Amino acid sequence: MPQTLPVSAAVELAVVERSGFIESRHAGAAVVLGPDGALLRTLGDVDAPILPRSTLKPLQALASLTAGAVLEGESLGLATASHSGTDRHVAVVRDILNSVELGEDDLGCPPAWPGDTATRDELVRELGSPTRIRMNCSGKHAAMLAACVASGWDTATYLSPDHPLQVHTRDVIERLTGAKAAAMAIDGCGAPVYAMSLVALGRAIQRIGTASERSPFALHRMAGALVRAVRENPWTIDGPGRPDTVAIERLGVFTKTGAEGVMVMVAPDGTTAALKVLDGNGRAASAIALTLLVRAGALEAAQVAPVIAKLPLTVFGGGQDVGIIRPTV
């Protein structure tokens, strides 16, 4: 049975420190690539397959674009997002669906509560319930539906691995990674997700993060537009005060969190980090990626420190600050 990197191939990436005592350790693997795609640093087994989860969304969004979805600005940012389900996010997803004369019931992602606490609390007070459009992947699904309408493909079965959209998506993913998928699984939102090495994932994200809108190649022009859309609308990809949005706003990086401890991040100069925390806990992932980019000289430590300080890394005891979750890379 296919599986992710073994414990023996992992290295320590971060620790949890409580009152000066190392309470827990997060092990995993990571890779850093230069602006030209060259390997700068590897930690652990970066060739073992992992499921990229939502770090695959930039690639899936590009597949939807190349299949005919017409998206730009906020809509393009939402197509790449694991959004927090605020009313602002939902309004953009509805706009995407309305543009192709579809509605919320056409979304194939499962119903969910919004990740944004204030929005969820308001819905609870209004006796609301989980909905598909509040699910964090609804923007990706709306983009996929828009691509199906543009290409004349069936919208009811768009999540099937053998649907023309998913066959096209796999092809785009393999073109960007430069490798065949090691395995296929079903993601939490119901869409196919493809196993790949951290090197392959890092190379794909580095290619997207350094793409030019003036490229002679359509895929690269679209990738450049996607990165610009996220950097100009950082609230779309995550949510106010949330890790990806904060890092983009403060540092100009292109970053995407994935479930089960996966993270990708591209510095403004194109240096790229990709990592997988083996135990699946992503609480340290943003800080690890930022630290890797500082170590590579792509980000200034003085600029990164206040961003890391905004991340939820404090360890509490009795309501007091007694420690921290910190990278050890």
Side-chain angles (χ1 to χ4, degrees):
M1 176 181 293
Q3 58 183 326
T4 194
L5 65 144
V7 174
S8 60
V11 300
E12 183 182 277
L13 300 178
V15 298
V16 181
E17 185 176 304
R18 178 182 297 275
S19 303
F21 183 88
I22 302 299
E23 182 176 22
S24 301
R25 301 179 189 276
H26 289 307
V31 62
V32 181
L33 295 91
D36 60 353
L39 282 175
L40 298 182
R41 186 182 181 189
T42 61
L43 295 166
D45 185 352
V46 297
D47 294 315
I50 60 112
L51 290 174
R53 302 300 297 273
S54 282
T55 64
L56 196 63
K57 281 178 177 170
L59 286 71
Q60 292 168 316
L62 286 174
S64 292
L65 286 176
T66 56
V70 179
L71 304 164
E72 59 183 7
E74 295 177 345
S75 294
L76 188 48
L78 258 295
T80 320
S82 296
H83 65 78
S84 56
T86 67
D87 291 347
R88 191 179 182 190
H89 289 113
V90 167
V92 177
V93 177
R94 283 201 181 105
D95 286 343
I96 297 172
L97 292 170
N98 290 340
S99 72
V100 291
E101 300 183 346
L102 294 177
E104 297 178 37
D105 290 342
D106 294 295
L107 293 169
C109 53
W113 289 103
D116 180 73
T117 302
T119 303
R120 177 173 178 150
D121 289 349
E122 181 63 25
L123 286 174
V124 170
R125 284 192 292 268
E126 295 175 351
L127 302 180
S129 59
T131 57
R132 296 180 189 275
I133 202 164
R134 296 279 181 183
M135 200 266 174
N136 74 87
C137 301
S138 65
K140 176 182 79 175
H141 283 253
M144 288 181 170
L145 286 167
C148 289
V149 172
S151 293
W153 296 329
D154 179 55
T155 58
T157 58
Y158 75 96
L159 292 179
S160 173
D162 59 1
H163 186 281
L165 173 67
Q166 300 306 336
V167 172
H168 171 72
T169 299
R170 181 169 183 158
D171 177 64
V172 169
I173 290 168
E174 292 179 343
R175 285 167 59 193
L176 286 165
T177 61
K180 292 291 184 182
M184 189 276 289
I186 302 301
D187 211 335
C189 68
V193 61
Y194 301 98
M196 61 188 66
S197 70
L198 279 172
V199 171
L201 176 61
R203 283 181 173 151
I205 295 298
Q206 188 271 339
R207 286 166 179 158
I208 292 171
T210 58
S212 170
E213 292 182 76
R214 297 185 297 275
S215 171
F217 303 105
L219 181 61
H220 291 188
R221 291 196 300 273
M222 291 176 181
L226 182 149
V227 172
R228 177 168 59 83
V230 170
R231 284 182 169 145
E232 290 180 352
N233 304 279
W235 67 271
T236 59
I237 200 167
D238 199 351
R242 293 167 71 92
D244 282 356
T245 293
V246 170
I248 296 166
E249 287 175 338
R250 298 290 294 272
L251 299 170
V253 297
F254 176 72
T255 183
K256 187 72 198 71
T257 298
E260 295 298 320
V262 188
M263 164 65 68
V264 294
M265 188 177 291
V266 186
D269 74 347
T271 304
T272 300
L275 64 97
K276 161 72 177 179
V277 180
L278 189 57
D279 64 10
N281 192 319
R283 58 186 173 177
S286 292
I288 295 167
L290 288 167
T291 302
L292 287 169
L293 292 178
V294 169
R295 298 280 188 267
L299 295 174
E300 295 290 336
Q303 293 177 307
V304 169
V307 175
I308 289 181
K310 285 183 171 291
L311 300 176
L313 300 173
T314 303
V315 174
F316 292 98
Q320 303 297 314
D321 177 351
V322 299
I324 193 168
I325 303 165
R326 58 178 175 83
T328 56
V329 293

